[in-house]
Amino acid sequence: DNAVVDLGRQARCGFGEAIYGEGKSADLIIQIVRAQLDQGQQSLVTRITDEVAEEVSRHFDHCRANPLAKTLRIATQEIDPPIDDQSHRVHVAVVTAGSTDQGIAEEAIETLGWMGIPVRSYSDIGVAGPQRLVAAVPRLREASALVVVAGMEGALPSVVAGHISAPIIAVPTSVGYGANLGGVTALLGMLTSCAAGVAVVNIDAGFKGAYMAGLVVRQ
Amino acid sequence: DNAVVDLGRQARCGFGEAIYGEGKSADLIIQIVRAQLDQGQQSLVTRITDEVAEEVSRHFDHCRANPLAKTLRIATQEIDPPIDDQSHRVHVAVVTAGSTDQGIAEEAIETLGWMGIPVRSYSDIGVAGPQRLVAAVPRLREASALVVVAGMEGALPSVVAGHISAPIIAVPTSVGYGANLGGVTALLGMLTSCAAGVAVVNIDAGFKGAYMAGLVVRQ
Amino acid sequence: DNAVVDLGRQARCGFGEAIYGEGKSADLIIQIVRAQLDQGQQSLVTRITDEVAEEVSRHFDHCRANPLAKTLRIATQEIDPPIDDQSHRVHVAVVTAGSTDQGIAEEAIETLGWMGIPVRSYSDIGVAGPQRLVAAVPRLREASALVVVAGMEGALPSVVAGHISAPIIAVPTSVGYGANLGGVTALLGMLTSCAAGVAVVNIDAGFKGAYMAGLVVRQ
Amino acid sequence: DNAVVDLGRQARCGFGEAIYGEGKSADLIIQIVRAQLDQGQQSLVTRITDEVAEEVSRHFDHCRANPLAKTLRIATQEIDPPIDDQSHRVHVAVVTAGSTDQGIAEEAIETLGWMGIPVRSYSDIGVAGPQRLVAAVPRLREASALVVVAGMEGALPSVVAGHISAPIIAVPTSVGYGANLGGVTALLGMLTSCAAGVAVVNIDAGFKGAYMAGLVVRQ
Amino acid sequence: DNAVVDLGRQARCGFGEAIYGEGKSADLIIQIVRAQLDQGQQSLVTRITDEVAEEVSRHFDHCRANPLAKTLRIATQEIDPPIDDQSHRVHVAVVTAGSTDQGIAEEAIETLGWMGIPVRSYSDIGVAGPQRLVAAVPRLREASALVVVAGMEGALPSVVAGHISAPIIAVPTSVGYGANLGGVTALLGMLTSCAAGVAVVNIDAGFKGAYMAGLVVRQ
Amino acid sequence: DNAVVDLGRQARCGFGEAIYGEGKSADLIIQIVRAQLDQGQQSLVTRITDEVAEEVSRHFDHCRANPLAKTLRIATQEIDPPIDDQSHRVHVAVVTAGSTDQGIAEEAIETLGWMGIPVRSYSDIGVAGPQRLVAAVPRLREASALVVVAGMEGALPSVVAGHISAPIIAVPTSVGYGANLGGVTALLGMLTSCAAGVAVVNIDAGFKGAYMAGLVVRQ
Amino acid sequence: DNAVVDLGRQARCGFGEAIYGEGKSADLIIQIVRAQLDQGQQSLVTRITDEVAEEVSRHFDHCRANPLAKTLRIATQEIDPPIDDQSHRVHVAVVTAGSTDQGIAEEAIETLGWMGIPVRSYSDIGVAGPQRLVAAVPRLREASALVVVAGMEGALPSVVAGHISAPIIAVPTSVGYGANLGGVTALLGMLTSCAAGVAVVNIDAGFKGAYMAGLVVRQ
Amino acid sequence: DNAVVDLGRQARCGFGEAIYGEGKSADLIIQIVRAQLDQGQQSLVTRITDEVAEEVSRHFDHCRANPLAKTLRIATQEIDPPIDDQSHRVHVAVVTAGSTDQGIAEEAIETLGWMGIPVRSYSDIGVAGPQRLVAAVPRLREASALVVVAGMEGALPSVVAGHISAPIIAVPTSVGYGANLGGVTALLGMLTSCAAGVAVVNIDAGFKGAYMAGLVVRQ
Ligand SMILES: Nc1ncnc2c1ncn2[C@@H]1O[C@H](COP(=O)(O)O)[C@@H](O)[C@H]1O
Ligand SMILES: Nc1ncnc2c1ncn2[C@@H]1O[C@H](COP(=O)(O)O)[C@@H](O)[C@H]1O
Ligand SMILES: Nc1ncnc2c1ncn2[C@@H]1O[C@H](COP(=O)(O)O)[C@@H](O)[C@H]1O
Ligand SMILES: Nc1ncnc2c1ncn2[C@@H]1O[C@H](COP(=O)(O)O)[C@@H](O)[C@H]1O
Ligand SMILES: [Mg+2]
Ligand SMILES: [Mg+2]
Ligand SMILES: [Mg+2]
Ligand SMILES: [Mg+2]
Ligand SMILES: [Mg+2]
Ligand SMILES: [Mg+2]
Ligand SMILES: [Mg+2]
Ligand SMILES: [Mg+2]
């Protein structure tokens, strides 16, 4: 009874309340999921540990856990994987700078799966190897919104934005060390981007980046 | 010859290069504007002082200066004021928390004018007087994207997002003192919003907030 | 003999010295508790681990441990749970924004129990689901002081203060990640609140928030 | 029309909206004051410059400007100075550590005047000269709430709290240089006070400190 | 051969090189100690873990480990405990604010033992219980230098300095949580002390505080 | 007599002591320049205001002031402008991201002039307009060292480094606002560059960037 | 009557209360000085502007203003300049790294003059020209305490401490730009000095550095 | 397929992509190494744990692991240890301040080994024992570039630069505690060095320091 699930959020905001998994016990999560399923809402838990995800999964019939993403989805029926778009016109592109950023990209992709929005994924095309981005530009220009995930100095969103007219949601990651200050450097860099069409969400917030891009696509 | 105007940006990104006025001489600005007008592009100068705006204006026939916004627009023909939407379906809502945030909101509105995108403006409806926001919610829900401008603790975007399904671009301002740290507090607060559909741009970046919202609307 | 218990504090300040448990051995805590009980004072230990709490408890007859709160109370007679007010006029309201903030709220409630002050508890009514707070406002207005506990951007105290005339003690929590900077963002946001009747205590300081509210009620 | 005055605040919160003067033009302030006076509310403007205060004053019959406090009060009838309590039981004590903190203390005293709450003032009794505080303690113990104003390391609230059972609102000031970081050091120090009955407001926030103490006294 | 022991430091600076134990293997420490003993110098290792201390101790005949202080002393002959002064005129006073600061005080006392300088120790006399300090003042005034150790807001050195004419070396500790920022708050507070006769060393630097006080006494 | 000019630096380090102009009176600068000229050394003053530069210039026969660079050079004979390389093999490339960075680039170019090292300058080719850099790459690859000057998010050095094998000295500038934190964001970004061949100097340190690149070229 | 002069400080602490001039009006300073002179105490005002110093000086017969130091001394009889020691055994050495640090050194020297303690001054012998320090070492070793003043990276105290057995009080200055963060970098560097005999005071705190060194010498 | 190895980097930049090992699984590293070996490129993995290094090593014939450096090199033929230069003219000097900095120096030395560039190593010659550096200066002057590794206050690069005309790459380390802020203090100090010929890389970035120095030597 310490949780008051916001069951009206789906009606007001278009999607239900995602469950922030960090620091929550399996018991608390199960109680919230039950309340959501009862209302015919799908559940998405983010930032959940493998142990808690496993324990929660034992209580429901239809679950989809992604350990790299640290997400768990639960529904009253079979859950499909996120829609990997190759031909749709309307989709979100999820881009990473380095291979170590993939976990955060996976959180974004799972969120788009939960929202029912198609996605195309581009991995490890950061600025140190510029030909990788150049090769991707023509396909990137087909997306309706982009989620660009990068750690270290976080330069990739600025560089992508130089080629693209769709809105970009930049997700800084905590990948790096020393002066990267746990992702604060990438965050600040993205906020002061010399490119105009870039907005930013919290460090490692793959969920928020995807949610925002998903809303854009739905408008 | 210290400026290399990016004349291809309009083709690549949908809109030309806005001129960042801070620290630029009138001479340098005039030179850049000339290059843009020659290519049939409209100019938008941001963060320009009254003195420089006046000097630049003397060199062109069609200008629109907004001193509160600290912007200057220049074109080869008459410039209309931003389109104040009352009936269009597709528009951006620009919202402020306090009356001191109005300058940044004006920068956003001028930018939307330059982009040719309709706008509705809501001023001074911050959280300390909650009935003000509640009254505005039904009309706010008609916008395709929102720019929410707030200083001090920057709580307004989170609260608006609890009522709305369109994407919100939050613009933190430097309004406040002491622990507001020149706007950093509002910025950090908006980034860690408990609401999902909020992305953030730089402190006092009315231009970027509007540009991003404009791109959303155009998708 | 490394501890000089401040036994006069109860006379000077109204309540005895709470024992800050972090970094203290069970032996040291036992020695301090003994000195307090000898003077007819009740003991409250905060931020104590389960292991140390258990070890200390073995040495005394009347203990009340709350593992979620990380507190331990010790007295020379039976200890009642905190008084859950439903009808008293004079009480403190303890409010949380999210269910993950509950541990800090529990520390506050235990502290009010130790002070002998009635309390009403409201959980998980943060701003992302605004109807939850609106529903609680009429009862919240009956409190003589409020302790409002919130992590992430810490917007709840500002929003509550827009509805209430009693003084609010805001307790920022470290719930969140990235730009929440271990609770510093919530702390700064609460300090720069646009609402006037809000004062702030340290991050995760449920004890201090409750102590301050308790003093208010006793005036 | 960029200002939406929160005229219901007096009913909801006990006192009307104080006008934050920083960055507001005389015109905007006059417009807000007019709206408040029309509703029978007194106005308090804080952080106002001498020039703006003078210009605003020319438009109203009953004003009280305090340049050291940087405040301006406006009403529909004669304004008395704050009530200097010598015999009342119920009052707020306003204490400063150094003589340079007096401006912030004055802002607090004017705010209490506007609230109609008696005040006793103690100046320049900081910890470097400990006998000064010791001499004041017996009278300080008669207050129902204290506002303690200090810059530099901000140690005074902790030390006062060691002697007192009333709640203390600590106001850090920006007095000092170097490692005082514009008041952030005093702020952080007060937040981590080893004394329990201390809550904190923003740097230089004499208004907030007094408002909070005033609410305490009114409960 | 990665260590070049500075064997001339005793001649140049009065005392040999203390060995900073953090991050050093037992092997490396043993090698350095051997080089020092060979030159007739005593060794002091600081910030050493229990495990490493034990392993190092097995290689030498005369050792003195203090696990609370995290120090290890090694010599070619019997090592006496630090001289606890009760009658000497010339000594250093080591003072703590809270009982949790004792580990750092112990590091200071062991360092003074290694320097051969008498010491008087005063524990847990912080400002929240002011009578504790007042009682100690007459004896504190007999010291030639003081090391004052405090965490949380670090107010104690300022308050002691108000009573004393000997120089005070303030040692901030990391005791506390939240806004104490790992000791940075106490450090900044001590640096901006309103009292003149206070200089500061690094956070948790009991060694440096004592070394500096020891040099003062030797002048 | 408050200045002890380091006249041996030219012999030890290859170049004389540059005079840091900030906060120095014209008199002090004249005295230092005299000492250098007497030893047959050329003088370079950096960060000098127009007024002081003018006053100093009146005392010497051969001066070269660059107000945009805020530098002044003084010698015992005619001073040539920096060598603008078009054909030499060995030169330093000085690159800027935006036209507002030009002042810092000029400081770098003047420093290379003082060192006698050829320079090629590339202005305003930042990442928002990517074709500008691509066009410059073939010529950039001819440099023996590069000084890359950028403000805002400071992404340019990382991107240049993806194309080049010569060492890059990155100079962050304070151009930008809000989250750029006076250049700290660009600085941190450059330090955490995902490209390997980038080292960094202080914010706005055109002098140091050039000096370092000049040393590289001379090896 | 907003100032309560601490006239007992001379008896308790050895020297009277120095007047912190920043933010104080001439009137307030005059009032405090009068109270001190009446008790037979000399006055020292620090951080006073030229204008205020001049106005205060007009009210007293015996004054000594040092505009570079921003100090003013006032006494009831003729004031001698600080004692420049050439032969005394017991003195304080005041050392600067660069010529721009001289103002802070002057504040230290004036403070020692007020305390009646002999001083030797060494200017501009920072680490970039190492032979300058080496030349001074033999004389530096005669001091009983050293005040070492340095800006930029603040390396000088560590290097001096490698040669000396007297205690060193390090005074960081705000000389520098960019990553020097207004002196915070020098401050932090001095606090983490690899040398043991170094304690630190606030940024630009020439007064405190000298006061502390003076106390050392008096023990 | 989450990794897009930048196989063209060797051609563009002179050396292949080093593999940043932190957060990468053994599987991912093996996949990247295979791609590099297939192109005839040697692999260098940095910041790899012992466990992962061991697992990766089992899949290749020619490996060189350095656990102190936390590096792993892999090639298609026998790997020689880094070339320890005693007679070559052209080499890089790698210098450490303290013996605890050795791990970072080893990362630098392994990187130079991978680049095929000779190296001379100087350990533990920091400023607290100045004669150690003085003894090394003549040999240090023979290097074509220097990597200077230091923690705590990071003073060593400034001091070395006072003696040397080759360019210095300063590598701050996280060695130290408290006010060293995880290496940020050393980083900031090196960036504000009073010596001109010093550029800086990230905290603990032995790889980058060596890579940069290696590029200098190859020019
Ligand atoms: N120790 C290191 N420090 C900084 N950058 C590194 C290090 N090791 C490898 N790198 C670079 O980091 C990037 C790795 O990105 P990724 O491996 O795709 O996440 C490559 O450009 C490497 O050259
Ligand atoms: N990964 C995430 N990042 C940020 N916010 C989240 C995340 N996952 C869930 N949330 C939001 O966090 C809030 C959860 O608060 P509570 O679960 O009550 O502590 C809800 O408003 C969620 O929509
Ligand atoms: N959770 C808490 N947060 C802040 N202060 C506390 C807490 N619990 C106890 N204290 C205070 O911390 C001080 C304890 O210092 P000591 O136990 O001597 O280290 C006392 O003044 C307590 O009143
Ligand atoms: N623009 C600059 N940035 C950084 N250091 C500089 C600059 N100009 C001169 N310097 C160095 O700063 C030191 C000047 O110290 P001083 O002039 O004695 O205060 C010398 O070592 C110069 O080489
Ligand atoms: Mg990669
Ligand atoms: Mg308003
Ligand atoms: Mg919730
Ligand atoms: Mg005073
Ligand atoms: Mg205690
Ligand atoms: Mg440009
Ligand atoms: Mg100099
Ligand atoms: Mg060593």
Side-chain angles (χ1 to χ4, degrees), chain G:
Chain G
D1 55 305
N2 288 335
V4 179
V5 191
D6 182 13
L7 295 167
R9 194 170 305 177
Q10 191 160 288
R12 289 192 326 273
C13 304
F15 297 93
E17 183 179 354
I19 303 166
Y20 176 60
E22 215 161 287
K24 286 203 177 66
S25 65
D27 277 5
L28 183 52
I29 292 173
I30 290 165
Q31 170 196 338
I32 301 174
V33 170
R34 286 243 161 84
Q36 293 185 319
L37 295 188
D38 285 358
Q39 295 291 316
Q41 300 183 6
Q42 281 205 29
S43 297
L44 168 67
V45 193
T46 63
R47 299 179 76 94
I48 192 170
T49 60
D50 290 6
E51 295 69 41
V52 176
E54 230 166 275
E55 195 177 332
V56 173
S57 295
R58 276 198 291 274
H59 291 74
F60 300 97
D61 290 337
H62 303 287
C63 294
R64 174 181 163 85
N66 181 332
L68 185 52
K70 302 204 166 299
T71 56
L72 178 68
R73 292 177 55 196
I74 306 134
T76 49
Q77 51 191 82
E78 196 69 25
I79 302 175
D80 290 325
I83 308 165
D84 180 2
D85 173 72
Q86 295 309 331
S87 51
H88 293 76
R89 280 253 64 87
V90 172
H91 69 273
V92 171
V94 175
V95 183
T96 67
S99 46
T100 322
D101 300 317
Q102 197 61 31
I104 303 306
E106 292 287 323
E107 190 190 55
I109 292 168
E110 288 294 330
T111 300
L112 289 161
W114 171 71
M115 296 175 92
I117 289 172
V119 60
R120 280 193 213 155
S121 167
Y122 304 77
S123 296
D124 197 18
I125 60 170
V127 303
Q131 76 296 348
R132 301 181 295 192
L133 171 61
V134 167
V137 163
R139 300 196 71 236
L140 284 172
R141 294 180 63 93
E142 297 172 19
S144 294
L146 294 90
V147 176
V148 181
V149 181
M152 299 188 172
E153 84 274 49
L156 190 57
S158 296
V159 178
V160 172
H163 295 283
I164 296 282
S165 70
I168 291 175
I169 313 299
V171 183
T173 71
S174 52
V175 170
Y177 60 95
N180 121 309
L181 303 178
V184 169
T185 294
L187 171 68
L188 292 171
M190 290 167 174
L191 285 163
T192 54
S193 174
C194 59
V198 177
V200 188
V201 293
N202 198 3
I203 299 164
D204 292 335
F207 162 68
K208 276 203 173 183
Y211 189 92
M212 188 72 187
L215 290 190
V216 168
V217 160
R218 284 209 349 162
Q219 290 310 100

Side-chain angles (χ1 to χ4, degrees), chain H:
Chain H
D1 55 304
N2 289 334
V4 178
V5 192
D6 181 14
L7 295 167
R9 195 171 304 180
Q10 191 159 288
R12 289 193 326 274
C13 303
F15 297 92
E17 183 179 353
I19 302 167
Y20 177 62
E22 215 162 288
K24 286 204 177 63
S25 66
D27 277 5
L28 182 52
I29 293 174
I30 290 164
Q31 170 197 336
I32 300 174
V33 170
R34 286 240 162 87
Q36 292 184 320
L37 295 187
D38 285 358
Q39 296 292 316
Q41 300 183 7
Q42 281 206 28
S43 297
L44 169 66
V45 194
T46 64
R47 301 180 73 95
I48 192 170
T49 61
D50 289 7
E51 296 69 41
V52 176
E54 232 167 89
E55 195 177 333
V56 173
S57 295
R58 275 198 291 275
H59 291 74
F60 299 97
D61 291 336
H62 304 288
C63 293
R64 174 181 164 84
N66 182 332
L68 184 53
K70 302 203 166 300
T71 56
L72 177 69
R73 291 177 55 196
I74 306 134
T76 50
Q77 51 191 82
E78 196 70 25
I79 301 175
D80 290 325
I83 308 164
D84 181 2
D85 173 73
Q86 295 308 333
S87 50
H88 292 76
R89 280 254 65 86
V90 172
H91 69 273
V92 171
V94 175
V95 183
T96 66
S99 46
T100 322
D101 300 316
Q102 196 61 30
I104 303 306
E106 292 288 324
E107 190 190 54
I109 292 167
E110 288 294 332
T111 299
L112 289 162
W114 171 71
M115 296 175 92
I117 289 172
V119 59
R120 280 193 212 154
S121 167
Y122 304 78
S123 297
D124 197 16
I125 60 170
V127 303
Q131 77 296 348
R132 301 182 295 192
L133 171 61
V134 168
V137 163
R139 298 195 73 236
L140 284 172
R141 294 180 63 94
E142 297 172 20
S144 294
L146 294 91
V147 177
V148 181
V149 181
M152 300 188 169
E153 84 275 49
L156 189 58
S158 297
V159 177
V160 172
H163 295 282
I164 295 284
S165 71
I168 291 174
I169 313 299
V171 183
T173 71
S174 52
V175 170
Y177 60 95
N180 123 309
L181 302 177
V184 169
T185 293
L187 172 68
L188 293 172
M190 289 168 175
L191 284 163
T192 54
S193 174
C194 60
V198 176
V200 188
V201 293
N202 198 3
I203 299 163
D204 291 335
F207 161 67
K208 277 203 172 181
Y211 190 91
M212 187 72 188
L215 289 189
V216 168
V217 160
R218 283 206 352 160
Q219 288 312 99

Side-chain angles (χ1 to χ4, degrees), chain B residues 97-99 124 132, chain D residues 4 17:
Chain B
S99 48
D124 197 17
R132 302 180 294 192
Chain D
V4 178
E17 183 179 353

Side-chain angles (χ1 to χ4, degrees), chain B residues 84-101:
Chain B
D84 181 2
D85 173 71
Q86 296 308 332
S87 50
H88 292 76
R89 279 254 66 85
V90 172
H91 69 273
V92 170
V94 175
V95 183
T96 66
S99 48
T100 322
D101 300 316

Side-chain angles (χ1 to χ4, degrees), chain D residues 96-215:
Chain D
T96 67
S99 47
T100 322
D101 300 316
Q102 196 61 32
I104 303 306
E106 292 288 324
E107 191 191 52
I109 292 168
E110 288 294 331
T111 299
L112 288 161
W114 170 73
M115 296 175 92
I117 289 172
V119 60
R120 281 194 212 153
S121 167
Y122 303 78
S123 296
D124 197 17
I125 60 170
V127 303
Q131 77 295 351
R132 301 181 294 192
L133 171 62
V134 167
V137 162
R139 299 196 73 237
L140 283 172
R141 294 179 65 93
E142 297 172 19
S144 294
L146 294 91
V147 177
V148 182
V149 181
M152 300 189 169
E153 83 275 50
L156 189 57
S158 296
V159 177
V160 172
H163 295 283
I164 296 282
S165 71
I168 291 174
I169 313 299
V171 183
T173 70
S174 53
V175 169
Y177 61 95
N180 121 308
L181 303 177
V184 169
T185 293
L187 172 68
L188 293 171
M190 289 168 176
L191 285 163
T192 55
S193 174
C194 60
V198 177
V200 188
V201 293
N202 198 4
I203 298 164
D204 292 334
F207 162 69
K208 278 203 172 181
Y211 189 92
M212 188 73 189
L215 290 190

Side-chain angles (χ1 to χ4, degrees), chain F residues 75-112:
Chain F
T76 49
Q77 50 192 85
E78 196 69 24
I79 301 176
D80 289 326
I83 307 165
D84 180 3
D85 174 71
Q86 295 310 331
S87 51
H88 293 77
R89 280 255 65 87
V90 172
H91 69 273
V92 171
V94 175
V95 184
T96 67
S99 47
T100 323
D101 300 317
Q102 197 61 32
I104 303 306
E106 293 287 323
E107 191 190 53
I109 293 168
E110 288 294 331
T111 300
L112 288 161

